[in-house]
Amino acid sequence: DTGVSQDPRHKITKRGQNVTFRCDPISEHNRLYWYRQTLGQGPEFLTYFQNEAQLEKSRLLSDRFSAERPKGSFSTLEIQRTEQGDSAMYLCASSPPGSAGELFFGEGSRLTVL
Amino acid sequence: GENVEQHPSTLSVQEGDSAVIKCTYSDSASNYFPWYKQELGKGPQLIIDIRSNVGEKKDQRIAVTLNKTAKHFSLHITETQPEDSAVYFCASGETSYDKVIFGPGTSLSVIP
């Protein structure tokens, strides 16, 4: 399978714990995006990278959230001191060089905070 | 701030009928308008997109129209089939290589 891969697919944690999600984009895709989706809503933009550079981070994003893409390949999204409101599906997408625009989404990492 | 609204939130049509989903956006700088389809348990998948230099684009049974003056754009699906049943999201972005902002989605059910 050469699509976007996310790990873990499901994570259940207790409030106050830290969690980390990993995204492996499609090979040679230089842009990588993180979105969050809650039930019945559209994906909400969190942040995106071009290669290893984080180009934009949502103003709504708490400082408990941090994302990295150290070598311009895979990315991690860490949530510190989780809250029940963080429960959601975390979607990663990648996009190839050029301006075609299509985002290729992974199947997401579902977080449940108890 | 940037905002995309989408209507209706749910839509039920008979197989073979047409379905229309409408969106509005707030950011005047938007020039790129993709539509994504999301099936249960999967990530969204691009089905068609349109850029601000055209008013309409068609791909087989799917067409999109754009009215940049009114900040409206619409998705039209003709001859609907049961496999068209899914959640559809409109989105907008300043460019096709920037982030996109998604609407809240339309759950389409095609009844055989």
Side-chain angles (χ1 to χ4, degrees):
Chain A
D1 190 328
T2 57
V4 176
S5 176
Q6 293 189 243
D7 183 73
R9 294 293 312 280
H10 303 276
K11 177 72 176 178
I12 300 174
T13 191
K14 292 183 179 179
R15 188 176 53 182
Q17 298 295 305
N18 299 343
V19 296
T20 299
F21 299 114
R22 176 180 169 123
C23 172
D24 286 272
I26 295 172
S27 179
E28 299 182 358
H29 280 198
N30 63 336
R31 294 193 301 278
L32 186 148
Y33 303 76
W34 285 99
Y35 283 84
R36 174 172 63 190
Q37 187 176 28
T38 53
L39 196 63
Q41 298 297 316
E44 175 193 6
F45 171 75
L46 297 180
T47 189
Y48 89 100
F49 295 83
Q50 180 162 301
N51 299 314
E52 65 275 9
Q54 188 173 20
L55 294 189
E56 188 171 349
K57 183 176 177 180
S58 171
R59 293 187 298 272
L60 302 176
L61 199 60
S62 161
D63 57 9
R64 295 184 297 105
F65 287 70
S66 62
E68 295 183 340
R69 195 183 183 198
K71 296 182 179 180
S73 56
F74 73 92
S75 175
T76 58
L77 176 69
E78 181 183 19
I79 309 173
Q80 296 182 328
R81 306 181 302 281
T82 52
E83 302 172 356
Q84 288 186 326
D86 297 332
S87 296
M89 178 72 82
Y90 289 84
L91 293 167
C92 176
S94 67
S95 189
S99 60
E102 181 172 0
L103 299 181
F104 293 81
F105 281 89
E107 295 190 330
S109 292
R110 180 169 294 285
L111 173 65
T112 301
V113 182
L114 301 176
Chain B
E2 303 150 328
N3 188 46
V4 177
E5 296 184 353
Q6 183 171 349
H7 300 279
S9 57
T10 60
L11 180 59
S12 185
V13 299
Q14 292 289 331
E15 182 178 359
D17 286 351
S18 295
V20 180
I21 303 171
K22 298 183 179 182
C23 289
T24 60
Y25 62 96
S26 61
D27 187 355
S28 299
S30 295
N31 289 295
Y32 175 63
F33 306 92
W35 287 86
Y36 283 80
K37 175 183 180 182
Q38 187 173 28
E39 297 177 337
L40 201 60
K42 297 186 177 181
Q45 183 175 12
L46 181 74
I47 55 172
I48 195 167
D49 58 16
I50 190 168
R51 288 163 173 78
S52 60
N53 57 343
V54 298
E56 185 173 354
K57 182 177 179 180
K58 191 172 182 180
D59 183 4
Q60 299 182 352
R61 298 185 296 110
I62 295 174
V64 291
T65 58
L66 171 65
N67 182 332
K68 205 162 190 299
T69 302
K71 297 183 187 174
H72 291 173
F73 57 116
S74 300
L75 175 72
H76 303 250
I77 306 174
T78 58
E79 301 170 18
T80 53
Q81 301 167 3
E83 51 266 38
D84 293 330
S85 296
V87 180
Y88 291 80
F89 295 99
C90 60
S92 72
E94 292 189 14
T95 70
S96 57
Y97 49 84
D98 204 346
K99 71 177 189 290
V100 291
I101 303 301
F102 285 84
T106 296
S107 179
L108 173 65
S109 298
V110 179
I111 304 167

